[in-house]
Amino acid sequence: MDIQISSNFERILFELTGRDPKKLLSWMQEFKTSGQFSVSPSEVEAIRAEFTAQRCSDEQTLDMISRTYRDHQCIIDPHTAVGLHALEQSGYMHHIPCVALACAHPAKFPDVVRAATGVSPERPASLADLMTRPESYQVMACDYAAFRSYVLKV
């Protein structure tokens, strides 16, 4: 799974800038141009105060999907498996209550889930036609009031 420019990463950077879209844009443009960007030591510490990091290989992802299915009769997707693996590796779950939220539907990753569990996940009836639905989107200016108004109409 390639998360080099994850939308979640961009969101935390936005918060780190104090919600400054111009600073975030400059970081993203610098990253796109040079493959890197710099943050101050105080910005690094702000991130470290809020986050911990773990890593998870493809094999560990498959193992977590398999164990979760075997031990809990619950089919999970690869993203959720990575999160559960990270939670397990962090050690937090051994001394504080933890909540893990599913990240995607397993039917989005049928080959991976089948390889880990031997089960082909079914797409929910409400999503049966998902891949053939027409795509729709609205291009908008960077204007919160206009965005809010649009969302409230939809």
Side-chain angles (χ1 to χ4, degrees), residues 19-115:
R19 298 182 157 224
D20 179 347
K22 290 179 182 173
K23 186 170 184 180
L24 177 63
L25 180 61
S26 74
W27 280 350
M28 293 294 96
Q29 287 174 334
E30 185 180 344
F31 184 71
K32 186 176 183 179
T33 304
S34 69
Q36 61 186 10
F37 66 95
S38 298
V39 296
S40 71
S42 63
E43 291 165 331
V44 170
E45 287 309 310
I47 291 173
R48 286 185 175 149
E50 296 292 328
F51 291 91
T52 184
Q54 303 294 328
R55 68 178 67 194
C56 184
S57 69
D58 289 346
E59 293 77 22
Q60 290 166 322
T61 301
L62 288 170
D63 179 63
M64 181 56 71
I65 295 169
S66 178
R67 285 191 295 126
T68 302
Y69 180 64
R70 181 191 69 224
D71 297 347
H72 304 285
Q73 297 73 53
C74 181
I75 300 174
I76 61 172
D77 67 279
H79 298 282
T80 301
V82 169
L84 286 174
H85 176 82
L87 181 60
E88 187 176 76
Q89 295 303 304
S90 73
Y92 292 133
M93 62 190 285
H94 303 295
H95 63 280
I96 61 172
C98 296
V99 175
L101 303 176
C103 302
H105 196 283
K108 187 176 177 184
F109 307 93
D111 297 338
V112 174
V113 170
R114 189 173 31 261

